Structures are given as structure tokens and as C-alpha cells.
Amino acid sequence: MTYSCCDFYDDVMRCFVDTGVVASEHDDGVDAVGADSDLAITAITGFRRMALASTFFDELLASVETLGSVAEQYGEHALASLMYLQSAISHDAFIEVSRDASAFLDVIRMMPSSTEWLRHIELVD
């Protein structure tokens, strides 16, 4: 028995449903394939964003002794901003940070992928 493109398509969509990436079974309507394609692309890019957010957290933990030490050394606001930044990375969004938040920016700049993380920060006056 061969494994067809339709079988693959159905299995991928079922996997998205089973993992909770897609809320329900795909619709077999007029533009079902287009809608399913949009859902699949959204899911795949979402996986990438979650991987980036995980990498951010791994780099953060490797750059500091503990999260508590971030609060002690840089302040609770810096620690909170780091958590908001992780969320922004996972949603391909950004956080607004005051230009005078140098302590927070110092933590980011010491991370190996700081250029990537800085893309998710908008400096405001």
C-alpha cells in the first residue's frame, strides 16, 4: 500500500489537531485546502517562535547564575522585562523599553544571540 499526498496531508492536519495547534478538524469546504495551508503555515512559524523563545531562556540562564540574581543585580523591573521579552519572542512581537533601562539592556547584550533578541525591543523615551 502506498502513502499518498492526501494521506500525508490528512496526517499532518490530524497532528496539528492532536497537538492543539489547530482547534478542530479541517473544513472540507470550497477553499479548505487554502485555509488548511494557512493554518499549517501559522503552526510551523509558531513552532519556530517557540523554539526561539526557548533558546532565549536557555541563553538567559547560561548568562546569569539564577533568575533571582538578575533581580538582585539588575532590579526586579529588569527581571520582569526579560519575562515579557520571552513572551514577545514567542509571539513575534516586541516590548517597549525605556531608553534609560540600561540594566535590562546590559543583560540582553551579554547573551550570544543579543542581535535577535534586540529585534523584539522598541526603545522609547
Side-chain angles (χ1 to χ4, degrees):
M1 175 178 244
T2 62
Y3 191 69
S4 71
C5 289
C6 291
D7 293 335
F8 176 76
Y9 171 85
D10 289 341
D11 286 346
V12 168
M13 293 311 294
R14 190 173 16 266
C15 180
F16 287 155
V17 171
D18 291 348
T19 58
V21 173
V22 175
S24 63
E25 289 291 340
H26 57 280
D27 181 17
D28 291 328
V30 175
D31 192 22
V33 174
D36 287 349
S37 175
D38 291 344
L39 288 173
I41 290 168
T42 299
I44 292 165
T45 58
F47 294 146
R48 172 68 178 136
R49 287 193 308 268
M50 293 308 295
L52 281 172
S54 178
T55 299
F56 169 80
F57 200 73
D58 290 345
E59 286 186 13
L60 174 62
L61 292 178
S63 297
V64 298
E65 282 189 37
T66 64
L67 293 178
S69 69
V70 172
E72 290 172 9
Q73 186 173 355
Y74 299 99
E76 290 178 7
H77 185 69
L79 179 59
S81 294
L82 289 165
M83 298 302 99
Y84 290 127
L85 179 57
Q86 182 185 22
S87 178
I89 292 166
S90 72
H91 293 94
D92 196 25
F94 67 92
I95 61 171
E96 293 182 343
V97 174
S98 172
R99 290 187 187 279
D100 63 355
S102 60
F104 166 71
L105 294 172
D106 287 345
V107 175
I108 299 300
R109 287 186 182 116
M110 70 181 172
M111 298 169 74
S113 302
S114 61
T115 304
E116 173 66 30
W117 314 140
L118 290 169
R119 285 186 339 99
H120 297 280
I121 298 171
E122 183 176 295
L123 297 176
V124 295
D125 292 324

